[in-house]
Amino acid sequence: MNLTGARITSLEAPQATAGVGASSEDPAPAFAEDDFTRHIFSCLLQIALSDASVKGGTIEDAVGLGADDLEALAITFKPDILPLLNSRRRQPEVAFDEEEEQLLDLFMRFRSDTSRQSNWLAAILTRRCMSPNHLWQDLGLNSRVELGRLMREFFPTLAARNVLNMKWKKFFYRCLCEMEGFSLCASPTCQQCNDYNDCFGEETGLSRLPQKNN
Ligand code: SF4
Protein backbone atom coordinates (compact mmCIF):
# COMPACT_ATOMS: atom_id res chain seq x y z
CA MET A 1 0.00 0.00 0.00
CA ASN A 2 1.46 3.31 -1.10
CA LEU A 3 -0.09 5.71 1.36
CA THR A 4 0.99 8.82 -0.46
CA GLY A 5 -0.79 7.62 -3.60
CA ALA A 6 -4.19 7.00 -2.03
CA ARG A 7 -7.11 8.03 -4.25
CA ILE A 8 -9.02 11.05 -2.99
CA THR A 9 -12.64 11.23 -4.04
CA SER A 10 -14.99 14.13 -4.29
CA LEU A 11 -16.26 14.47 -0.75
CA GLU A 12 -17.01 18.10 -0.07
CA ALA A 13 -14.44 20.08 1.86
CA PRO A 14 -14.33 19.40 5.60
CA GLN A 15 -16.33 21.81 7.67
CA ALA A 16 -14.34 23.62 10.32
CA THR A 17 -17.39 23.71 12.54
CA ALA A 18 -17.61 25.15 15.97
CA GLY A 19 -17.52 22.52 18.63
CA VAL A 20 -14.87 20.37 17.01
CA GLY A 21 -14.02 17.71 19.48
CA ALA A 22 -17.18 18.09 21.48
CA SER A 23 -18.67 14.78 22.46
CA SER A 24 -21.07 13.47 25.03
CA GLU A 25 -18.56 10.73 25.81
CA ASP A 26 -15.70 13.09 26.51
CA PRO A 27 -14.38 12.92 30.07
CA ALA A 28 -11.09 14.47 31.14
CA PRO A 29 -8.26 12.94 29.11
CA ALA A 30 -6.33 10.20 30.89
CA PHE A 31 -3.12 10.75 28.94
CA ALA A 32 -0.98 13.73 28.05
CA GLU A 33 -0.77 14.27 24.30
CA ASP A 34 2.52 12.47 23.65
CA ASP A 35 1.70 9.69 26.08
CA PHE A 36 -1.67 9.17 24.40
CA THR A 37 -0.07 8.85 20.96
CA ARG A 38 2.43 6.33 22.32
CA HIS A 39 -0.37 4.48 24.09
CA ILE A 40 -2.58 4.12 21.03
CA PHE A 41 0.21 2.95 18.75
CA SER A 42 1.34 0.50 21.40
CA CYS A 43 -2.23 -0.84 21.62
CA LEU A 44 -2.51 -1.07 17.82
CA LEU A 45 0.71 -3.05 17.57
CA GLN A 46 -0.20 -5.36 20.44
CA ILE A 47 -3.62 -6.25 19.04
CA ALA A 48 -2.08 -6.85 15.61
CA LEU A 49 0.53 -9.15 17.14
CA SER A 50 -2.21 -10.99 19.01
CA ASP A 51 -4.45 -11.39 15.96
CA ALA A 52 -1.58 -12.49 13.74
CA SER A 53 -0.62 -15.10 16.30
CA VAL A 54 -4.16 -16.40 16.81
CA LYS A 55 -5.23 -16.32 13.15
CA GLY A 56 -1.92 -17.38 11.64
CA GLY A 57 -1.55 -14.37 9.34
CA THR A 58 1.28 -11.87 9.14
CA ILE A 59 1.64 -8.92 11.45
CA GLU A 60 1.75 -6.68 8.38
CA ASP A 61 -1.65 -7.95 7.25
CA ALA A 62 -3.09 -7.53 10.75
CA VAL A 63 -1.95 -3.93 11.01
CA GLY A 64 -2.35 -2.91 7.36
CA LEU A 65 1.24 -1.75 6.87
CA GLY A 66 4.13 -3.12 4.83
CA ALA A 67 7.29 -4.29 6.56
CA ASP A 68 9.23 -1.02 6.32
CA ASP A 69 6.39 1.01 7.81
CA LEU A 70 5.76 -1.62 10.47
CA GLU A 71 9.42 -1.56 11.47
CA ALA A 72 9.51 2.24 11.58
CA LEU A 73 6.34 2.27 13.67
CA ALA A 74 7.82 -0.23 16.11
CA ILE A 75 11.10 1.71 16.35
CA THR A 76 9.14 4.85 17.17
CA PHE A 77 6.55 3.51 19.57
CA LYS A 78 7.31 -0.05 20.67
CA PRO A 79 10.94 -1.04 20.16
CA ASP A 80 10.64 -4.06 22.44
CA ILE A 81 8.93 -5.96 19.61
CA LEU A 82 11.77 -5.41 17.14
CA PRO A 83 13.47 -8.75 17.93
CA LEU A 84 10.19 -10.49 17.13
CA LEU A 85 9.75 -8.52 13.89
CA ASN A 86 13.30 -9.24 12.84
CA SER A 87 12.99 -12.95 13.55
CA ARG A 88 10.39 -13.61 10.87
CA ARG A 89 9.86 -13.24 7.17
CA ARG A 90 8.98 -9.70 6.17
CA GLN A 91 5.95 -8.83 4.04
CA PRO A 92 6.97 -5.81 1.94
CA GLU A 93 3.47 -4.74 0.84
CA VAL A 94 -0.09 -5.11 2.10
CA ALA A 95 -2.91 -5.26 -0.47
CA PHE A 96 -6.13 -3.40 0.25
CA ASP A 97 -9.36 -4.39 -1.49
CA GLU A 98 -11.76 -1.88 -3.04
CA GLU A 99 -13.74 -1.34 0.14
CA GLU A 100 -10.55 -0.70 2.09
CA GLU A 101 -9.29 1.68 -0.59
CA GLN A 102 -12.44 3.75 -0.12
CA LEU A 103 -12.00 3.84 3.65
CA LEU A 104 -8.34 4.72 3.26
CA ASP A 105 -9.32 7.57 0.94
CA LEU A 106 -11.63 8.86 3.64
CA PHE A 107 -9.01 8.75 6.38
CA MET A 108 -6.28 10.20 4.18
CA ARG A 109 -8.63 12.98 3.10
CA PHE A 110 -9.41 13.96 6.68
CA ARG A 111 -6.14 13.30 8.51
CA SER A 112 -4.95 16.26 10.52
CA ASP A 113 -1.55 16.41 8.85
CA THR A 114 0.65 14.55 6.38
CA SER A 115 3.02 13.13 8.97
CA ARG A 116 4.11 9.54 8.72
CA GLN A 117 2.24 8.65 11.88
CA SER A 118 -1.01 10.08 10.54
CA ASN A 119 -0.54 8.02 7.38
CA TRP A 120 0.14 4.93 9.47
CA LEU A 121 -2.98 5.57 11.48
CA ALA A 122 -5.12 5.95 8.36
CA ALA A 123 -3.94 2.56 7.07
CA ILE A 124 -4.30 0.86 10.45
CA LEU A 125 -7.84 2.18 10.99
CA THR A 126 -8.73 0.98 7.51
CA ARG A 127 -7.50 -2.55 8.09
CA ARG A 128 -8.91 -2.82 11.62
CA CYS A 129 -12.35 -1.70 10.39
CA MET A 130 -12.50 -5.09 8.66
CA SER A 131 -12.46 -6.90 12.01
CA PRO A 132 -15.78 -7.95 13.55
CA ASN A 133 -15.85 -6.35 17.00
CA HIS A 134 -16.44 -2.77 18.06
CA LEU A 135 -13.71 -0.74 16.40
CA TRP A 136 -12.21 0.39 19.70
CA GLN A 137 -11.88 -3.26 20.69
CA ASP A 138 -10.23 -4.24 17.42
CA LEU A 139 -7.79 -1.37 17.84
CA GLY A 140 -6.79 -2.83 21.22
CA LEU A 141 -7.89 0.33 23.05
CA ASN A 142 -9.18 0.44 26.61
CA SER A 143 -12.54 1.98 25.73
CA ARG A 144 -14.60 3.77 23.11
CA VAL A 145 -13.64 7.01 24.85
CA GLU A 146 -10.06 6.49 23.66
CA LEU A 147 -11.25 5.97 20.08
CA GLY A 148 -13.19 9.23 20.30
CA ARG A 149 -10.06 11.04 21.42
CA LEU A 150 -8.00 9.37 18.69
CA MET A 151 -10.49 10.57 16.08
CA ARG A 152 -10.59 14.11 17.43
CA GLU A 153 -6.80 14.39 17.59
CA PHE A 154 -5.86 12.73 14.31
CA PHE A 155 -8.98 13.26 12.16
CA PRO A 156 -10.59 16.35 13.76
CA THR A 157 -12.77 17.52 10.89
CA LEU A 158 -14.06 14.00 10.29
CA ALA A 159 -14.75 13.53 14.00
CA ALA A 160 -16.59 16.85 14.07
CA ARG A 161 -19.05 15.52 11.50
CA ASN A 162 -20.14 12.77 13.85
CA VAL A 163 -22.33 15.20 15.75
CA LEU A 164 -24.87 12.53 16.70
CA ASN A 165 -22.18 10.22 18.08
CA MET A 166 -22.85 7.36 15.68
CA LYS A 167 -20.92 4.17 16.09
CA TRP A 168 -17.65 4.94 14.36
CA LYS A 169 -17.71 2.17 11.77
CA LYS A 170 -21.30 3.02 10.84
CA PHE A 171 -20.33 6.66 10.62
CA PHE A 172 -17.40 5.96 8.30
CA TYR A 173 -19.59 3.97 5.93
CA ARG A 174 -22.24 6.65 5.99
CA CYS A 175 -19.53 9.14 4.96
CA LEU A 176 -18.59 6.83 2.09
CA CYS A 177 -22.21 6.77 0.97
CA GLU A 178 -22.24 10.57 0.98
CA MET A 179 -19.04 10.61 -1.06
CA GLU A 180 -20.66 8.40 -3.68
CA GLY A 181 -23.93 10.31 -3.59
CA PHE A 182 -26.22 7.56 -2.44
CA SER A 183 -27.65 6.21 0.78
CA LEU A 184 -28.09 2.72 2.14
CA CYS A 185 -30.40 4.00 4.84
CA ALA A 186 -33.88 2.52 4.96
CA SER A 187 -35.42 5.65 6.44
CA PRO A 188 -35.14 9.36 5.62
CA THR A 189 -34.43 10.19 9.26
CA CYS A 190 -32.56 8.34 11.94
CA GLN A 191 -35.24 8.98 14.54
CA GLN A 192 -37.78 6.96 12.52
CA CYS A 193 -35.40 4.23 11.45
CA ASN A 194 -35.68 0.62 12.56
CA ASP A 195 -31.88 0.34 12.39
CA TYR A 196 -31.36 3.11 14.92
CA ASN A 197 -29.80 0.86 17.54
CA ASP A 198 -27.40 -0.61 15.00
CA CYS A 199 -26.11 2.87 14.23
CA PHE A 200 -26.35 4.56 17.61
CA GLY A 201 -26.52 1.83 20.25
CA GLU A 202 -23.94 1.51 22.96
CA GLU A 203 -20.52 0.13 22.14
CA THR A 204 -19.74 -1.36 25.50
CA GLY A 205 -17.65 -4.43 26.22
CA LEU A 206 -14.29 -5.53 27.47
CA SER A 207 -10.98 -4.48 25.98
CA ARG A 208 -9.32 -7.24 23.98
CA LEU A 209 -6.03 -6.41 25.69
CA PRO A 210 -5.20 -6.17 29.39
CA GLN A 211 -6.13 -2.74 30.70
CA LYS A 212 -3.16 -0.45 30.99
CA ASN A 213 -2.22 3.19 31.43
CA ASN A 214 0.64 3.55 28.95
S1 SF4 B 1 -30.29 5.06 11.90
FE1 SF4 B 1 -31.18 4.48 9.90
S2 SF4 B 1 -31.32 6.42 8.76
FE2 SF4 B 1 -29.87 6.76 10.49
S3 SF4 B 1 -27.83 6.33 9.66
FE3 SF4 B 1 -28.59 4.42 10.58
S4 SF4 B 1 -29.56 3.30 8.86
FE4 SF4 B 1 -29.34 5.45 8.22
Side-chain angles (χ1 to χ4, degrees), residues 166 174 184-190 193 195-196 199-200:
M166 286 182 78
R174 182 157 184 170
L184 294 176
C185 297
S187 168
T189 66
C190 296
C193 182
D195 294 329
Y196 186 88
C199 292
F200 293 94

mmCIF file of all heavy atoms in Angstrom, residues 166 174 184-190 193 195-196 199-200, ligand 1:
data_model
loop_
_atom_site.group_PDB
_atom_site.id
_atom_site.type_symbol
_atom_site.label_atom_id
_atom_site.label_comp_id
_atom_site.label_asym_id
_atom_site.label_seq_id
_atom_site.Cartn_x
_atom_site.Cartn_y
_atom_site.Cartn_z
ATOM 1 N N MET A 166 -22.613 8.688 16.257
ATOM 2 C CA MET A 166 -22.853 7.364 15.683
ATOM 3 C C MET A 166 -21.725 6.421 16.058
ATOM 4 O O MET A 166 -20.599 6.847 16.342
ATOM 5 C CB MET A 166 -22.907 7.437 14.142
ATOM 6 C CG MET A 166 -24.155 8.041 13.569
ATOM 7 S SD MET A 166 -24.105 8.003 11.743
ATOM 8 C CE MET A 166 -24.516 6.282 11.432
ATOM 9 N N ARG A 174 -21.280 5.625 6.412
ATOM 10 C CA ARG A 174 -22.242 6.647 5.995
ATOM 11 C C ARG A 174 -21.522 7.766 5.237
ATOM 12 O O ARG A 174 -22.028 8.284 4.239
ATOM 13 C CB ARG A 174 -22.975 7.207 7.210
ATOM 14 C CG ARG A 174 -24.015 8.229 6.808
ATOM 15 C CD ARG A 174 -25.108 8.402 7.810
ATOM 16 N NE ARG A 174 -26.092 9.335 7.281
ATOM 17 C CZ ARG A 174 -27.252 9.564 7.816
ATOM 18 N NH1 ARG A 174 -27.625 8.929 8.889
ATOM 19 N NH2 ARG A 174 -28.089 10.418 7.289
ATOM 20 N N LEU A 184 -27.609 4.059 1.862
ATOM 21 C CA LEU A 184 -28.095 2.715 2.145
ATOM 22 C C LEU A 184 -29.152 2.724 3.238
ATOM 23 O O LEU A 184 -29.671 1.682 3.617
ATOM 24 C CB LEU A 184 -26.923 1.827 2.599
ATOM 25 C CG LEU A 184 -25.845 1.554 1.541
ATOM 26 C CD1 LEU A 184 -24.710 0.759 2.167
ATOM 27 C CD2 LEU A 184 -26.431 0.797 0.365
ATOM 28 N N CYS A 185 -29.472 3.905 3.722
ATOM 29 C CA CYS A 185 -30.403 4.003 4.835
ATOM 30 C C CYS A 185 -31.826 3.663 4.387
ATOM 31 O O CYS A 185 -32.270 4.067 3.312
ATOM 32 C CB CYS A 185 -30.386 5.409 5.420
ATOM 33 S SG CYS A 185 -28.782 5.861 6.102
ATOM 34 N N ALA A 186 -32.519 2.936 5.272
ATOM 35 C CA ALA A 186 -33.879 2.518 4.960
ATOM 36 C C ALA A 186 -34.898 3.593 5.286
ATOM 37 O O ALA A 186 -36.058 3.492 4.884
ATOM 38 C CB ALA A 186 -34.209 1.247 5.745
ATOM 39 N N SER A 187 -34.482 4.618 5.999
ATOM 40 C CA SER A 187 -35.422 5.650 6.437
ATOM 41 C C SER A 187 -34.827 7.018 6.141
ATOM 42 O O SER A 187 -33.605 7.190 6.163
ATOM 43 C CB SER A 187 -35.655 5.501 7.950
ATOM 44 O OG SER A 187 -36.319 6.626 8.460
ATOM 45 N N PRO A 188 -35.675 8.011 5.879
ATOM 46 C CA PRO A 188 -35.142 9.360 5.625
ATOM 47 C C PRO A 188 -34.555 10.007 6.869
ATOM 48 O O PRO A 188 -33.718 10.907 6.756
ATOM 49 C CB PRO A 188 -36.357 10.134 5.099
ATOM 50 C CG PRO A 188 -37.541 9.373 5.579
ATOM 51 C CD PRO A 188 -37.134 7.942 5.682
ATOM 52 N N THR A 189 -34.978 9.607 8.036
ATOM 53 C CA THR A 189 -34.430 10.191 9.263
ATOM 54 C C THR A 189 -34.053 9.090 10.238
ATOM 55 O O THR A 189 -34.707 8.034 10.302
ATOM 56 C CB THR A 189 -35.451 11.113 9.960
ATOM 57 O OG1 THR A 189 -36.551 10.321 10.419
ATOM 58 C CG2 THR A 189 -35.949 12.191 9.017
ATOM 59 N N CYS A 190 -33.021 9.343 10.975
ATOM 60 C CA CYS A 190 -32.556 8.341 11.936
ATOM 61 C C CYS A 190 -33.603 8.079 13.019
ATOM 62 O O CYS A 190 -33.770 6.942 13.474
ATOM 63 C CB CYS A 190 -31.249 8.803 12.578
ATOM 64 S SG CYS A 190 -29.879 8.941 11.413
ATOM 65 N N CYS A 193 -36.000 5.383 12.122
ATOM 66 C CA CYS A 193 -35.398 4.230 11.453
ATOM 67 C C CYS A 193 -35.372 3.002 12.364
ATOM 68 O O CYS A 193 -35.013 3.087 13.535
ATOM 69 C CB CYS A 193 -33.981 4.587 11.033
ATOM 70 S SG CYS A 193 -33.155 3.273 10.134
ATOM 71 N N ASP A 195 -33.281 0.721 12.168
ATOM 72 C CA ASP A 195 -31.883 0.343 12.394
ATOM 73 C C ASP A 195 -31.179 1.273 13.365
ATOM 74 O O ASP A 195 -29.947 1.257 13.472
ATOM 75 C CB ASP A 195 -31.115 0.347 11.062
ATOM 76 C CG ASP A 195 -31.622 -0.723 10.116
ATOM 77 O OD1 ASP A 195 -32.077 -1.773 10.607
ATOM 78 O OD2 ASP A 195 -31.566 -0.505 8.895
ATOM 79 N N TYR A 196 -31.959 2.079 14.065
ATOM 80 C CA TYR A 196 -31.356 3.107 14.921
ATOM 81 C C TYR A 196 -30.346 2.511 15.898
ATOM 82 O O TYR A 196 -29.228 3.019 16.051
ATOM 83 C CB TYR A 196 -32.452 3.858 15.689
ATOM 84 C CG TYR A 196 -31.927 5.021 16.491
ATOM 85 C CD1 TYR A 196 -31.809 6.290 15.922
ATOM 86 C CD2 TYR A 196 -31.518 4.852 17.814
ATOM 87 C CE1 TYR A 196 -31.314 7.363 16.649
ATOM 88 C CE2 TYR A 196 -31.010 5.919 18.545
ATOM 89 C CZ TYR A 196 -30.916 7.166 17.958
ATOM 90 O OH TYR A 196 -30.405 8.219 18.676
ATOM 91 N N CYS A 199 -26.960 1.718 14.536
ATOM 92 C CA CYS A 199 -26.108 2.869 14.233
ATOM 93 C C CYS A 199 -25.709 3.659 15.475
ATOM 94 O O CYS A 199 -24.638 4.266 15.501
ATOM 95 C CB CYS A 199 -26.819 3.805 13.263
ATOM 96 S SG CYS A 199 -27.030 3.101 11.621
ATOM 97 N N PHE A 200 -26.593 3.674 16.472
ATOM 98 C CA PHE A 200 -26.351 4.562 17.606
ATOM 99 C C PHE A 200 -26.327 3.841 18.957
ATOM 100 O O PHE A 200 -26.158 4.476 19.973
ATOM 101 C CB PHE A 200 -27.434 5.646 17.670
ATOM 102 C CG PHE A 200 -27.379 6.596 16.512
ATOM 103 C CD1 PHE A 200 -28.158 6.381 15.387
ATOM 104 C CD2 PHE A 200 -26.530 7.689 16.533
ATOM 105 C CE1 PHE A 200 -28.103 7.253 14.311
ATOM 106 C CE2 PHE A 200 -26.476 8.555 15.464
ATOM 107 C CZ PHE A 200 -27.267 8.339 14.346
HETATM 108 S S1 SF4 B 1 -30.292 5.060 11.898
HETATM 109 FE FE1 SF4 B 1 -31.180 4.476 9.896
HETATM 110 S S2 SF4 B 1 -31.322 6.424 8.765
HETATM 111 FE FE2 SF4 B 1 -29.867 6.759 10.492
HETATM 112 S S3 SF4 B 1 -27.832 6.335 9.659
HETATM 113 FE FE3 SF4 B 1 -28.591 4.424 10.576
HETATM 114 S S4 SF4 B 1 -29.558 3.296 8.857
HETATM 115 FE FE4 SF4 B 1 -29.336 5.447 8.221
#
